[in-house]
């Protein structure tokens, strides 16, 4: 992702912070909180967890921070400001997840929820190798991504230009495996976004060491 793409994405998420929050209806919550709970259920208390593309920290970072030492990373200053206020016990870095400096081999678990749709597909191999390096041996990652085959380009999303890319899930799974991660599960679940159903793949992968 070129610097300019990063600027467009950061500015977009700054501008749509309220609209993004409003996409999830209280009566029909997205599956992310239950997915995060299941993913983290057997993590020992005090594990080190990284939330990449953490957004405003609600609900995933907040849930993880109840029991763990959590770090959140996001490219949008507005999202990070909200996350700091919503989850005061976690630490946050505002930066581009592709090249931000993070401790290697330090994390028991990583979550990246609805993030990689904002990356060009070409970035995935290097990003997944990076995730593997950040994980401890036997550490695991939870990813969600919308299945599809849409090209990397700007679309108008919530009224702002936003870079979005989708990939067939079998190709995504292959890229994770090519990066040395072992895919433990891959499930599809639909959620309502502003009343519209959108399906996501939910993938758990492990670092065999
Ligand atoms: C769809 S939101 C998901 C937010 C949160 N994970 C959630 O569950 O709602 C995608 C988030 O990824 C962030 N993001 C997109 N590209 C990024 C990048 N290159 N580096 C860091 N964060 C990025 C955006 O700013 C945004 O907050």
């Amino acid at each position: 992702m070129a610097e300019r793409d990063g600027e467009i994405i950061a500015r977009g998420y700054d501008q749509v912070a309220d609209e993004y929050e409003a996409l999830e209806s209280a009566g029909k919550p997205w599956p992310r909180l239950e997915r995060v709970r299941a993913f983290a259920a057997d993590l020992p208390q005090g594990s080190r967890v990284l939330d990449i593309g953490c957004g405003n920290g609600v609900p995933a970072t907040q849930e993880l921070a109840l029991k763990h030492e959590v770090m959140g990373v996001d490219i949008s200053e507005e999202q990070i400001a909200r996350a700091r206020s919503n989850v005061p016990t976690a630490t946050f870095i505002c930066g581009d997840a592709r090249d931000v400096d993070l401790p290697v081999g330090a994390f028991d678990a990583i979550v990246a929820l609805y993030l990689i749709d904002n990356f060009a597909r070409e970035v995935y191999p290097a990003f997944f190798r990076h995730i593997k390096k950040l994980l401890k041996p036997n550490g695991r990652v939870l990813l969600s991504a919308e299945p599809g085959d849409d090209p990397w380009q700007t679309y108008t999303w919530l009224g702002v230009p936003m870079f979005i890319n989708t990939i067939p899930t079998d190709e995504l799974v292959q890229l994770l495996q090519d990066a040395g991660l072992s895919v433990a599960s891959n499930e599809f679940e639909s959620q309502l976004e502003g009343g519209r159903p959108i399906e996501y793949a939910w993938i758990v992968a492990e670092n065999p060491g």
Side-chain angles (χ1 to χ4, degrees):
M1 186 162 50
E3 195 177 349
R4 179 154 164 69
D5 303 333
E7 286 169 10
I8 288 170
I9 290 167
R11 189 165 58 242
Y13 276 102
D14 285 347
Q15 289 173 343
V16 301
D18 289 334
E19 289 82 354
Y20 181 69
E21 275 186 48
L23 272 185
E24 181 179 19
S25 91
K28 191 86 175 101
W30 294 353
R32 65 186 157 178
L33 180 55
E34 290 312 316
R35 291 273 170 188
V36 165
R37 281 186 177 143
F39 170 74
D42 62 353
L43 274 181
Q45 181 139 359
S47 293
R48 285 188 80 183
V49 183
L50 177 65
D51 186 346
I52 311 182
C54 60
N56 67 13
V58 178
T61 329
Q62 193 171 51
E63 174 70 16
L64 291 162
L66 293 175
K67 289 191 185 154
H68 305 297
E69 192 186 318
V70 181
M71 178 182 286
V73 177
D74 202 284
I75 200 167
S76 152
E77 286 179 12
E78 177 61 26
Q79 297 290 344
I80 284 290
R82 291 181 183 214
R84 285 197 170 111
S85 160
N86 289 330
V87 197
T89 56
T91 56
F92 292 97
I93 296 174
C94 188
D96 189 324
R98 286 174 321 144
D99 53 21
V100 69
D101 202 13
L102 293 166
V104 168
F107 295 99
D108 300 286
I110 296 176
V111 300
L113 310 182
Y114 317 112
L115 167 72
I116 63 168
D117 302 349
N118 289 140
F119 292 179
R121 201 184 291 195
E122 292 68 32
V123 171
Y124 291 176
F127 182 64
F128 296 153
R129 287 195 301 273
H130 186 51
I131 282 185
K132 182 178 183 323
K133 275 194 197 149
L134 297 176
L135 284 170
K136 293 179 186 174
N138 302 317
R140 67 183 89 146
V141 57
L142 172 67
L143 289 171
S144 60
E146 188 181 345
D149 208 358
D150 299 313
W152 166 249
Q153 62 187 45
T154 50
Y155 298 85
T156 300
W157 179 73
L158 300 179
V160 298
M162 181 56 66
F163 275 90
I164 299 172
N165 170 84
T166 59
I167 184 170
T169 304
D170 55 348
E171 289 182 32
L172 183 57
V173 165
Q174 187 61 54
L175 289 175
L176 287 161
Q177 288 168 342
D178 292 347
L181 293 159
S182 162
V183 174
S185 64
N186 170 23
E187 296 170 347
F188 295 91
E189 194 162 356
S190 191
Q191 64 187 47
L192 284 182
E193 295 188 12
R196 193 166 141 249
I198 312 265
E199 186 176 64
Y200 288 86
W202 289 87
I203 299 174
V204 176
E206 292 169 356
N207 176 19

